């Protein structure tokens, strides 16, 4: 299946920060995602959409090697962060995860205070600066500071779901990453909290590159600059192998998709 | 698509009354099974209290065993139990929790770990007397390696003693209290090591359950910050699992404090008219003292003093369980 690899419009300032080259992902002997080649641009929001089980999360998690934690997971092909091949043996995944942060589907703050949640990452790296300032600036960036500044020592679980998710974003920012991977960051939240997360993503792309997996097509069209549509390989439908179908600027994917399958999916006629 | 669904009329037999009655009966049966256990415990406690409470006098705590029942106490047994149980806790906590961390967080799932898992569960069911025999051979006698006629002693002409201490005695750096006796003999250390072996499977199983109950999403969040496995384990997993680990640990210790068989095999004495000076001293323990009193012919020993001893032992148990509840609440992580 031919996928459109690169967004057609290229401006000179658009730098590529993450990319894959013929990357395939396996769980034990089963192929989860096959032959994905794509480039993700710096300081843009890129969304991965597609039906369940097409490997969006698998692809996302390869960018900070979180897949390593799943027994039996393996990779063929190349995944690059800047110019480093992430799956080369000399690469330490611990270091990569610091530069490529992650936010998960369900808010998962640590059962510690709000302050300690943010300070957790900097402490490992023996952060030498002023911790209070760092905590404040991360909470500011995550648009949470005004809501929590008077209760920094309270448990993170006293916050609402949406606040917890923004806390998780703030926590990820505290180790100074370049990239934020978000795995359906708003799917457990109500529409208002979802909008706040989306606003936040828009603010954050000034400084960070964001890659987001979402099941919500409105969300993809609202927040992202580029959209990758993934699906199940139609030629081998029983094996449920994920493939990249189309990748382009979000506006093109949603108004003028080149692929019939993409069109069916975004108009809700899929399957 | 055409809609061809057929509307079915509800044809039910009205048996709601019967279902409710069955529910009631089940409810009562469950209540009976709870009360059965509670009833037996009450009978036991009341019986012991009637026989033993009048004999709970200061002498019980300040005197050693005596030929006159009115003077007899269990001072050395209380102290012995206390020290042996403390040592058991100190030994089995790091080993048990370490094994649990390894098996839950580090070990790969393969045949070897399956084999270990199976055997830890088996070990939890091994009768305590078997541990007593193991402890005697390994710690108490050390396979006879330090007896006068062993090849080791003969070959290196080691200065073994016989008498109060059978075997070798070292002083580390010449410091008197840093003594090492080989073999461990009938010492409190040998008793505590044996008890540790006995409760280790229980400690490991309880710790593993507790570690496994930590949500994987917390570990994921930790790793996603760029942390090592050890850091995630130490700062996230262990603090969350700690209340459960401590509870399991203390419940295991309260099993150990009532154990008699392994200590009898290990050669704990029934009559110890002194308090221990070091972990190398011989000792007795509460269950052994009680057992000893029950075997004596006089009614005052056999019934009253034994009952009083049991009350003291039960008090220790309740205190330990109380500590378990306290620690669980104190370290409970607020979600």
């Amino acid at each position: 299946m031919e996928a459109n690899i690169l967004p057609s419009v290229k401006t000179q300032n658009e730098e590529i920060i993450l990319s894959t080259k013929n990357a395939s992902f396996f769980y034990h002997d089963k192929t989860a995602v096959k032959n994905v080649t794509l480039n993700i641009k710096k300081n843009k929001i890129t969304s991965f959409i597609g039906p369940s089980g097409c490997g969006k999360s698998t692809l996302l998690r390869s960018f900070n090697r979180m897949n390593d934690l799943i027994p039996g997971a393996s990779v063929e092909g190349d995944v690059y962060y800047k110019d480093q091949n992430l799956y080369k043996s000399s690469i330490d995944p611990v270091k990569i995860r610091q530069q490529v942060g992650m936010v998960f589907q369900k808010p998962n703050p640590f059962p510690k205070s709000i302050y300690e949640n943010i300070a957790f990452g900097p402490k490992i790296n023996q952060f030498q600066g002023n911790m209070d300032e760092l905590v404040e600036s991360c909470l500011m960036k995550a648009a949470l500071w005004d809501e929590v500044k008077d209760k920094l020592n309270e448990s993170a679980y006293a916050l609402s779901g949406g606040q917890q998710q923004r806390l998780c974003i703030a926590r990820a920012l505290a180790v100074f990453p370049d990239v934020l991977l978000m795995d359906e960051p708003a799917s457990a939240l109500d529409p208002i909290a979802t909008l706040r997360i989306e606003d936040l993503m828009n603010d954050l792309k000034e400084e960070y590159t964001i890659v987001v997996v979402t099941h919500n097509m409105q969300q993809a069209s609202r927040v992202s600059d580029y959209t990758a549509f993934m699906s199940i390989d139609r030629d081998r439908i029983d094996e449920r192998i994920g493939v990249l179908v189309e990748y382009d600027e979000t506006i093109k994917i949603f108004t003028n998709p080149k692929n019939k399958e993409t069109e069916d999916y975004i108009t809700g006629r899929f399957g | 698509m055409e809609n061809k669904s057929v509307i079915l009329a509800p044809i039910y037999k009205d048996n709601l009354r019967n279902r409710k009655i069955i529910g009631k009966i089940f409810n009562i049966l469950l209540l009976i099974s709870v009360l059965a256990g509670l009833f037996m415990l009450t009978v036991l406690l009341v019986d012991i209290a009637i026989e033993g409470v009048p004999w709970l006098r200061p002498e019980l705590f300040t005197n050693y065993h005596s030929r006159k029942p009115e003077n007899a106490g269990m001072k050395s047994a209380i102290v012995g139990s206390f020290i042996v149980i403390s040592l058991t806790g100190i030994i089995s906590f790091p080993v048990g929790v370490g094994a649990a961390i390894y098996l839950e967080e580090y070990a790969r799932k393969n045949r070897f770990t399956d084999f270990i898992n199976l055997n830890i569960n088996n070990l939890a069911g091994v009768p305590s007397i078997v541990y007593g025999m193991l402890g005697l051979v390994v710690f108490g006698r050390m396979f006879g390696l330090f007896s006068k006629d062993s090849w080791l002693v003969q070959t290196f002409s080691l200065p073994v003693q016989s008498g109060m201490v059978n075997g070798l005695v070292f002083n580390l750096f010449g410091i008197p209290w840093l003594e090492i006796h080989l073999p461990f003999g009938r010492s409190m250390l040998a008793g505590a090591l044996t008890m540790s072996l006995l409760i280790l499977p229980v400690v490991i199983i309880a710790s593993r359950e507790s570690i496994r109950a930590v949500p994987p999403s917390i570990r994921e969040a930790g790793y996603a910050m760029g942390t090592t496995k050890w850091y995630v384990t130490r700062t996230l997993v262990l603090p969350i699992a700690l209340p459960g680990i401590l509870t399991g640990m203390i419940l295991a210790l309260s099993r150990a404090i009532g154990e008699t068989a392994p200590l009898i095999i290990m050669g704990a004495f029934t009559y110890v008219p002194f308090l221990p000076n070091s972990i190398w001293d011989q000792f007795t323990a509460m269950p052994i003292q009680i057992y000893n009193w029950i075997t004596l012919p006089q009614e005052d020993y056999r019934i009253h003093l034994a009952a009083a001893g049991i009350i003291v032992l039960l008090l220790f148990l309740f205190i330990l369980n109380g500590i378990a509840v306290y620690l669980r609440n104190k370290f409970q992580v607020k979600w």
Side-chain angles (χ1 to χ4, degrees):
Chain A
M1 196 173 295
E2 270 307 304
N4 187 4
I5 303 309
L6 267 176
S8 49
V9 178
K10 287 177 197 162
T11 38
Q12 282 149 349
N13 302 337
E14 288 182 342
E15 203 182 311
I16 288 161
I17 188 160
L18 290 169
S19 62
T20 65
K21 221 172 175 184
N22 293 324
S24 300
F25 303 93
F26 308 88
Y27 294 115
H28 297 286
D29 300 330
K30 196 191 165 302
T31 312
V33 180
K34 200 180 69 179
N35 270 342
V36 173
T37 301
L38 90 174
N39 295 322
I40 288 171
K41 306 210 158 169
K42 205 176 166 208
N43 291 80
K44 300 286 176 195
I45 301 180
T46 304
S47 63
F48 293 172
I49 60 170
S52 296
C54 68
K56 306 182 292 292
S57 295
T58 301
L59 180 59
L60 185 79
R61 283 160 172 258
S62 71
F63 291 127
N64 66 348
R65 290 192 54 177
M66 284 297 276
N67 283 341
D68 292 21
L69 303 175
I70 301 166
S74 60
V75 180
E76 274 173 20
D78 302 318
V79 180
Y80 290 94
Y81 164 66
K82 293 182 178 167
D83 46 6
Q84 308 174 70
N85 188 342
L86 288 185
Y87 284 88
K88 234 170 53 187
S89 58
S90 60
I91 296 287
D92 182 359
V94 171
K95 198 135 185 272
I96 291 303
R97 288 177 198 140
Q98 205 179 296
Q99 293 161 306
V100 183
M102 188 155 192
V103 177
F104 298 84
Q105 181 172 1
K106 234 182 105 220
N108 55 358
F110 303 133
K112 298 167 181 278
S113 73
I114 294 168
Y115 186 97
E116 285 173 278
N117 261 277
I118 310 286
F120 180 86
K123 267 189 201 160
I124 330 159
N125 303 308
Q126 297 174 321
F127 176 65
Q128 298 296 315
N130 184 330
M131 187 68 87
D132 292 351
E133 277 174 20
L134 179 67
V135 169
E136 182 176 342
S137 89
C138 290
L139 286 168
M140 289 272 213
K141 280 185 193 168
L144 191 60
W145 174 250
D146 290 332
E147 294 158 66
V148 301
K149 63 182 172 196
D150 299 324
K151 47 180 182 182
L152 289 177
N153 292 318
E154 283 178 30
S155 165
Y157 282 85
L159 300 175
S160 73
Q163 289 173 324
Q164 287 183 20
Q165 194 63 303
R166 277 179 282 145
L167 178 67
C168 292
I169 294 172
R171 178 180 68 187
L173 299 181
V175 287
F176 304 100
D178 291 330
V179 182
L180 274 185
L181 306 176
M182 299 186 163
D183 194 353
E184 299 184 44
S187 65
L189 305 179
D190 69 39
I192 297 167
T194 302
L195 276 182
R196 299 207 60 167
I197 299 281
E198 289 176 11
D199 288 345
L200 176 59
M201 288 163 72
N202 248 319
D203 297 340
L204 289 174
K205 77 172 177 182
E206 303 287 323
E207 274 185 75
Y208 306 94
T209 306
I210 297 177
V211 187
V212 56
V213 166
T214 179
H215 273 293
N216 181 336
M217 273 176 289
Q218 283 79 29
Q219 184 170 63
S221 67
R222 276 193 303 258
V223 299
S224 65
D225 302 302
Y226 295 96
T227 297
F229 172 63
M230 294 178 71
S231 187
I232 312 287
D233 188 347
R234 290 221 159 157
D235 305 331
R236 295 156 75 184
I237 201 96
D238 293 338
E239 295 170 63
R240 299 193 68 79
I241 298 174
V243 288
L244 177 64
V245 177
E246 191 167 351
Y247 176 43
D248 209 330
E249 283 177 77
T250 299
I251 186 146
K252 290 197 175 153
I253 292 275
F254 279 90
T255 56
N256 188 20
K258 294 195 176 63
N259 192 297
K260 176 81 170 60
E261 206 182 336
T262 315
E263 190 181 341
D264 287 349
Y265 186 76
I266 58 165
T267 53
R269 279 179 308 202
F270 188 81
Chain B
M1 216 203 284
E2 279 177 88
N3 196 341
K4 278 189 183 170
S5 60
V6 182
I7 296 169
L8 289 173
I11 312 166
Y12 295 142
K13 201 175 135 199
D14 182 14
N15 63 348
L16 185 60
R17 229 178 83 87
N18 284 347
R19 284 188 280 158
K20 280 191 170 169
I21 290 172
I22 290 171
K24 270 259 154 53
I25 292 172
F26 201 64
N27 192 340
I28 291 167
L29 284 176
L30 293 178
L31 188 65
I32 289 173
S33 47
V34 171
L35 291 180
L38 212 59
F39 175 74
M40 291 315 292
L41 182 67
T42 316
V43 168
L44 177 79
L45 287 180
V46 169
D47 180 51
I48 288 170
I50 291 170
E51 305 292 355
V53 166
W55 285 74
L56 277 178
R57 345 142 260 131
E59 288 87 352
L60 197 65
F61 301 93
T62 57
N63 289 10
Y64 301 109
H65 175 66
S66 159
R67 253 178 293 173
K68 290 180 185 156
E70 55 272 22
N71 288 338
M74 53 192 298
K75 185 177 171 184
S76 53
I78 293 173
V79 173
S81 272
F82 183 79
I83 296 177
V84 168
I85 288 304
S86 307
L87 279 175
T88 305
I90 293 169
I91 295 163
S92 58
F93 183 79
V95 179
V97 176
I101 293 174
Y102 176 76
L103 290 171
E104 279 304 312
E105 301 288 322
Y106 287 82
R108 288 174 178 278
K109 304 275 168 277
N110 55 25
R111 287 223 180 129
F112 180 64
T113 41
D114 285 348
F115 179 75
I116 292 178
N117 288 340
L118 181 70
N119 281 296
I120 287 175
N121 290 327
N122 284 339
L123 283 176
V126 170
S128 57
I129 198 156
V130 177
Y131 282 101
M133 296 167 85
L134 178 72
L136 179 67
V137 173
V138 177
F139 305 122
R141 299 207 179 127
M142 295 196 167
F143 310 101
L145 272 182
F146 300 96
S147 65
K148 273 212 153 66
D149 47 0
S150 86
W151 63 268
L152 190 77
V153 172
Q154 302 274 340
T155 320
F156 298 98
S157 26
L158 296 171
V160 291
Q161 314 173 9
S162 54
M164 271 301 284
V165 179
N166 271 303
L168 274 178
V169 179
F170 298 108
N171 265 353
L172 278 187
F173 316 114
I175 303 169
W177 48 268
L178 262 185
E179 261 182 13
I180 291 185
H181 294 216
L182 294 175
F184 294 161
R186 297 174 160 190
S187 67
M188 299 208 286
L189 180 66
L193 284 168
T194 308
M195 283 295 193
S196 299
L197 286 186
L198 173 70
I199 67 168
L200 259 178
V202 183
V203 174
I204 293 172
I205 290 169
S207 304
R208 289 185 68 179
E209 303 272 322
S210 191
I211 290 171
R212 205 176 306 152
V214 176
S217 65
I218 294 293
R219 292 186 182 82
E220 257 192 340
Y223 289 126
M225 306 289 301
T227 55
T228 57
K229 187 168 250 182
W230 168 237
Y231 196 79
V232 168
T233 306
R234 183 171 68 80
T235 59
L236 297 172
V237 176
L238 281 185
I240 298 172
L242 191 64
I245 292 173
L246 288 176
T247 308
M249 181 77 219
I250 291 175
L251 292 181
L253 284 181
S254 52
R255 180 186 167 195
I257 202 173
E259 278 293 346
T260 326
L263 293 184
I264 290 178
I265 299 258
M266 287 299 291
F269 281 83
T270 49
Y271 178 56
V272 179
F274 56 84
L275 291 184
N277 283 319
S278 81
I279 54 172
W280 304 106
D281 279 343
Q282 294 167 350
F283 68 103
T284 187
M286 284 191 275
I288 289 178
Q289 184 69 72
I290 293 165
Y291 172 74
N292 180 32
W293 279 339
I294 287 173
T295 55
L296 295 176
Q298 299 95 318
E299 195 165 280
D300 281 344
Y301 286 122
R302 198 158 49 84
I303 296 176
H304 300 302
L305 268 172
I310 289 170
I311 292 173
V312 176
L313 183 57
L314 285 177
L315 279 179
F316 262 77
L317 270 177
F318 293 154
I319 291 170
L320 273 179
N321 290 353
I323 294 173
V325 173
Y326 170 77
L327 288 176
R328 190 169 53 209
N329 292 338
K330 184 175 156 64
F331 291 110
Q332 190 70 273
V333 171
K334 309 272 184 307
W335 291 97

